[in-house]
């Protein structure tokens, strides 16, 4: 049957089109195209404009009244290093609190029980709907409305003794983060195909086992990368706990700044530390995302080192070959 | 001999839409029972009712003489607990149109997951048995592959092995070849034919009329949530009695 089709299809054209022309087109390798490339004048103009603006900026900083000596002197000052350590500590602890509470809230939100799911909804609504700065100040001033913390027979103390700057910072940042983590976890759980749950149930697996063995491992791929992002954000957001007098990086540099009148210089110091911390964790984040991309994409993006290696080997090879 | 599956006036609605409007049928032990019909006729829904993935709204559905999803005491029905439903599902294997293999596990891990996690089987023994089952579906050499590294036909055969690992007394097939490239359909049907010859009770929702004719013991044509015609597949497919059946078969054959 295919023979017939081929014959009838090929039989028509030769009458007005010599078959020789077709053959000659495929003899030998095709000639490489040598064309005049399009000139991108706009690119040159924009590059010059941007470079000129950059030069002005550099000039302004060079002529500005900046005591660079103060920056380098105070960069590794023990107070500053301790402040950076506290920033890291409060960010980590708040994140842990946020993740744990966030998972609980996500499960509550997805539960079939209308009471637990509405309570979770209300929590997320409040903590995402108000600024974290306001929440921090509320924890700080809690003693104004509840002078004594009374947990019945378990615990009783003056609120001002309980709500130390550390506790205010931890609760303010952690509880706020929990609302965001809850939404991230919920999205992750919902991203797992319903067929997975059905297949597990059809095999006789319980709800708990299905969640633990089948759904959560697949949800992690969706949950982990944004969680790393949240942590990097948390490193920066933690500067707001300045307001509750917790001695983190910004506060410890500002104290030095106001004493030595090197206000801007100390803000530079703080910025350098923030940049170092966020950069280090961004590298972690890159590898984390790469790890969790396994299975979903067949070829992984190259790591930084692989990219460098590829570029080097490409430059090393003779040009003619490329 | 009691019927493996027995449906008496089974009704199922999704909201206001009534999908099953009173299904009566019996699947005998050891037979291959084919369900055919146009899409939306309710055949997949009925299949999902058999292992209680869907709750029925009226009527009675029995598997191996036991009520599905409920316990009857006197004239009162009690809903079964999730754990009791899960216990009954162990004996009913299901194969899905979209395979639904667990993508984060290798083929062999997919097969041993339920025996180990649900039955508490010994891991080494479960693995040995899983290898036998993968060999039976012709995929012993793919045991270490992840589902994304397998073709659709291979994934479906792993899914069949996964269901068989629980030693079910009844297998449900929900359009097992509908998501496959035509050239891969044959491999899956071969496995199902082999399974039928071994005496497994099978309820198969399918569009493969050739399979139904060759392997099927009984056939039901459903349309609009009711059973239109039933009987021996060779009779129904070659000499349909009902107008609706004739119209459907003239389009698919």
């Amino acid at each position: 049957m295919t023979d017939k089709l081929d014959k009838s299809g090929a039989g028509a054209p030769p009458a007005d089109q010599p078959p020789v022309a077709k053959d000659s087109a495929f003899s030998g390798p095709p000639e490489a195209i040598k064309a005049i490339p399009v000139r991108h004048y706009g690119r040159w103009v924009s590059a010059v404009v941007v470079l000129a603006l950059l030069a002005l900026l550099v000039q302004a900083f060079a002529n500005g009244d900046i005591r660079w000596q103060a920056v380098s002197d105070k960069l590794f000052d023990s107070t500053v290093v301790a402040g950076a350590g506290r920033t890291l500590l409060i960010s980590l602890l708040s994140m842990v609190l946020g993740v744990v509470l966030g998972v609980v809230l996500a499960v509550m939100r997805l539960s079939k029980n209308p009471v637990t799911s509405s309570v979770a909804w209300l929590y997320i609504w409040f903590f995402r709907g108000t600024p974290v700065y306001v929440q921090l100040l509320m924890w700080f001033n809690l003693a104004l409305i509840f002078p004594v913390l009374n947990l019945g027979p378990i615990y009783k103390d003056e609120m001002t003794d309980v709500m130390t700057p550390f506790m205010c910072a931890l609760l303010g940042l952690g509880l706020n983060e929990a609302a965001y983590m809850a939404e991230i976890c919920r999205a992750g759980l919902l991203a797992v195909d319903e067929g997975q749950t059905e297949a597990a149930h059809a095999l006789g697996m319980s709800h708990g086992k299905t969640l633990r063995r089948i759904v959560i491992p697949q949800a992690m791929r969706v949950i982990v990368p944004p969680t790393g992002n949240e942590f990097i954000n948390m490193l920066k957001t933690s500067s707001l706990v300045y307001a509750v007098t917790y001695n983190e990086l910004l506060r410890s540099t500002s104290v030095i700044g106001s004493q030595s009148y090197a206000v801007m210089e100390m803000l530079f110091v703080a910025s350098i530390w923030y940049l170092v911390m966020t950069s280090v964790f961004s590298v972690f984040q890159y590898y984390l995302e790469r790890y969790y991309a396994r299975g979903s994409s067949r070829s992984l993006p190259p790591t930084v080192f692989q990219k460098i290696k590829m570029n080097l080997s490409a430059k090393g090879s003779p040009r003619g070959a490329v | 001999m009691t019927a493996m599956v027995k449906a008496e006036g089974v009704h199922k609605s999704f909201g206001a839409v009534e999908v099953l409007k009173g299904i009566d049928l019996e699947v005998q032990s050891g037979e291959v029972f084919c369900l055919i019909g146009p899409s939306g006729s309710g055949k997949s829904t009925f299949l999902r009712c058999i292992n209680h993935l869907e709750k029925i709204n009226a009527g009675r559905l029995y598997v191996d003489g036991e009520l599905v999803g409920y316990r009857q005491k006197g004239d009162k029905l009690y809903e079964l607990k999730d754990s009791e439903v899960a216990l009954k599902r162990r004996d009913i294997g299901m194969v899905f149109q979209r395979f639904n293999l667990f993508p984060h596990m290798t083929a062999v891990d997919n097969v041993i997951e339920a025996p180990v996690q649900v039955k508490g089987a010994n891991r080494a023994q479960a693995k040995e048995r899983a290898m036998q089952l993968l060999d039976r579906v012709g995929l012993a050499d793919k045991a270490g592959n992840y589902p994304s590294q397998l073709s659709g036909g291979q994934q479906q055969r792993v899914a069949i092995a996964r269901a068989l690992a629980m030693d079910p007394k009844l297998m449900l097939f929900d359009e097992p070849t509908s998501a496959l490239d035509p050239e891969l359909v044959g491999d899956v049907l071969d496995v199902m034919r082999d399974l039928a010859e071994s005496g497994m009770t099978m309820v198969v929702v399918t569009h493969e009329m050739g399979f139904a004719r060759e392997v099927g013991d009984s056939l039901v044509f459903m349309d609009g949530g009711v059973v239109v015609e039933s009987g021996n597949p060779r009779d129904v497919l070659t000499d349909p009695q009902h107008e609706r059946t004739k119209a459907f078969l003239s389009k698919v054959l």
Side-chain angles (χ1 to χ4, degrees):
Chain A
M1 198 178 112
T2 43
D3 267 4
K4 233 181 185 177
L5 274 175
D6 281 349
K7 269 176 197 160
S8 64
D16 48 12
Q17 198 183 333
V20 195
K22 215 178 185 181
D23 283 352
S24 69
F26 289 102
S27 62
E31 198 188 336
I33 293 173
K34 282 182 195 142
I36 315 294
V38 175
R39 306 291 181 200
H40 297 283
Y41 299 109
R43 286 185 196 172
W44 285 100
V45 174
S46 54
V48 168
V49 170
V50 168
L51 282 176
L53 289 174
L54 259 182
L56 286 174
L57 197 67
V58 169
Q59 197 218 0
F61 268 85
N63 293 334
D65 183 13
I66 304 169
R67 282 179 281 160
W68 292 108
Q69 192 58 43
V71 175
S72 58
D73 280 353
K74 296 293 181 189
L75 190 57
F76 294 105
D77 188 287
S78 61
T79 323
V80 174
V81 174
R86 278 194 210 96
T87 286
L88 208 54
L89 178 76
I90 198 69
S91 303
L92 272 172
L93 291 179
S94 306
M95 202 62 205
V96 169
L97 180 63
V99 168
V100 171
L101 202 56
V103 170
V104 173
L105 283 166
V107 172
M108 279 173 72
R109 185 97 163 77
L110 291 172
S111 114
K112 280 180 193 149
N113 185 333
V115 176
T116 53
S117 76
S118 348
V119 168
W121 181 88
L122 208 69
Y123 180 99
I124 294 164
W125 173 75
F126 178 80
F127 281 93
R128 284 207 313 174
T130 55
V132 62
Y133 191 66
V134 173
Q135 290 167 27
L136 282 164
L137 290 176
M138 283 209 234
W139 289 111
F140 191 58
N141 294 306
L142 204 62
L144 295 179
I145 51 171
F146 304 121
V148 177
L149 178 65
N150 189 350
L151 299 178
I154 315 164
Y155 190 84
K156 189 175 175 180
D157 204 350
E158 295 285 322
M159 187 61 86
T160 44
D161 291 341
V162 182
M163 278 299 152
T164 58
F166 173 79
M167 279 304 281
C168 290
L170 180 64
L171 289 174
L173 293 177
L175 295 192
N176 181 70
E177 185 58 33
Y180 288 91
M181 281 311 302
E183 288 298 90
I184 289 172
C185 292
R186 190 169 75 100
L189 292 174
L190 288 178
V192 179
D193 182 43
E194 214 180 332
Q196 293 290 312
T197 313
E198 278 183 359
H201 283 171
L203 286 166
M205 291 175 87
S206 64
H207 284 303
K209 274 237 164 78
T210 303
L211 204 61
R212 264 203 318 282
R213 300 278 314 167
I214 308 301
V215 177
I216 288 177
Q218 294 181 59
M220 287 306 275
R221 202 161 61 204
V222 182
I223 293 172
V224 168
T227 305
N229 258 335
E230 285 292 306
F231 179 70
I232 290 166
N233 274 336
M234 178 67 89
L235 282 170
K236 294 175 290 169
T237 312
S238 70
S239 64
L240 290 178
V241 305
Y242 184 103
V244 298
T245 69
Y246 183 65
N247 249 331
E248 42 65 70
L249 179 56
L250 181 63
R251 192 168 188 89
S252 52
T253 51
S254 300
V255 169
I256 299 175
S258 54
Q259 285 163 358
S260 60
Y261 302 108
V263 175
M264 274 301 272
E265 286 79 358
M266 290 317 291
L267 287 175
F268 289 166
V269 169
S271 300
I272 290 168
W273 275 100
Y274 280 121
L275 279 173
V276 167
M277 285 191 280
T278 51
S279 304
V280 166
F281 282 100
S282 296
V283 173
F284 276 129
Q285 170 75 1
Y286 180 82
Y287 281 94
L288 203 66
E289 280 181 17
R290 199 169 171 276
Y291 177 83
Y292 277 96
R294 289 176 324 159
S296 59
S297 62
R298 284 188 192 182
S299 64
L300 290 173
T303 66
V304 180
F305 297 113
Q306 285 169 341
K307 268 189 207 160
I308 293 171
K309 218 172 148 191
M310 260 169 14
N311 284 342
L312 284 178
S313 62
K315 289 222 172 84
S317 65
R319 290 215 163 196
V322 182
Chain B
M1 189 168 97
T2 60
M4 182 57 84
V5 180
K6 189 173 170 196
E8 293 172 349
V10 168
H11 283 256
K12 169 71 191 172
S13 304
F14 292 108
V17 185
E18 197 174 24
V19 181
L20 299 178
K21 298 169 183 168
I23 302 288
D24 297 279
L25 55 79
E26 272 191 28
V27 179
Q28 300 305 326
S29 204
E31 80 170 337
V32 176
F33 190 98
C34 296
L35 281 166
I36 62 167
S39 58
S41 61
K43 52 197 191 314
S44 283
T45 304
F46 177 72
L47 195 75
R48 292 160 58 83
C49 289
I50 296 176
N51 66 354
H52 208 49
L53 283 179
E54 306 289 353
K55 266 186 199 172
I56 64 173
N57 299 112
R60 292 284 188 276
L61 190 54
Y62 301 89
V63 170
D64 209 11
E66 287 182 43
L67 211 51
V68 173
Y70 303 93
R71 187 189 310 109
Q72 190 153 16
K73 254 189 200 165
D75 54 354
K76 268 189 185 157
L77 279 185
Y78 295 86
E79 261 186 29
L80 290 185
K81 281 186 275 184
D82 287 342
S83 57
E84 292 169 311
V85 173
L87 198 65
K88 292 201 171 182
R89 282 182 182 144
R90 290 183 187 191
D91 299 331
I92 306 172
M94 186 160 191
V95 175
F96 298 86
Q97 184 178 353
R98 306 244 20 125
F99 330 134
N100 294 347
L101 287 182
F102 306 132
H104 56 302
M105 298 179 186
T106 59
V108 69
D109 283 339
N110 263 280
V111 179
I112 67 171
E113 178 67 12
V116 171
Q117 293 297 326
V118 179
K119 281 187 172 170
N122 173 292
R123 208 180 162 80
Q125 284 170 0
K127 193 153 189 166
E128 202 175 309
R129 169 117 169 82
M131 289 310 295
Q132 288 169 5
L133 286 168
L134 285 175
D135 190 43
R136 184 172 171 189
V137 300
L139 291 171
D141 55 328
K142 302 283 184 189
N145 286 33
Y146 283 91
S148 62
Q149 298 163 328
L150 299 173
S151 75
Q154 291 169 337
Q155 287 189 53
Q156 193 62 297
R157 285 184 280 155
V158 173
I160 293 173
R162 177 176 71 174
L164 290 177
M166 290 296 280
D167 295 314
K169 57 188 175 191
L170 168 67
M171 285 281 285
L172 309 175
F173 291 84
D174 188 3
E175 301 195 27
T177 57
S178 296
L180 299 178
D181 289 343
E183 56 173 344
L184 303 176
V185 169
D187 292 338
V188 172
L189 291 182
D190 285 344
V191 168
M192 289 170 64
R193 195 171 289 126
D194 169 63
L195 195 57
E197 277 162 15
S198 75
M200 175 66 73
T201 313
M202 296 161 66
V203 181
V204 186
V205 172
T206 189
H207 293 296
E208 296 292 331
M209 299 305 156
F211 175 83
R213 191 186 298 117
E214 278 173 53
V215 185
D217 297 304
S218 307
L219 180 138
V220 155
F221 172 71
M222 279 177 69
D223 189 25
V226 293
V227 172
V228 175
E229 191 166 349
S230 61
N232 184 298
R234 283 155 294 275
D235 299 339
V236 177
L237 291 174
T238 46
D239 183 24
Q241 301 301 309
H242 206 280
E243 277 308 315
R244 188 67 196 88
T245 318
K246 281 180 195 167
F248 175 74
L249 289 176
S250 71
K251 279 181 202 152
V252 296
L253 283 179

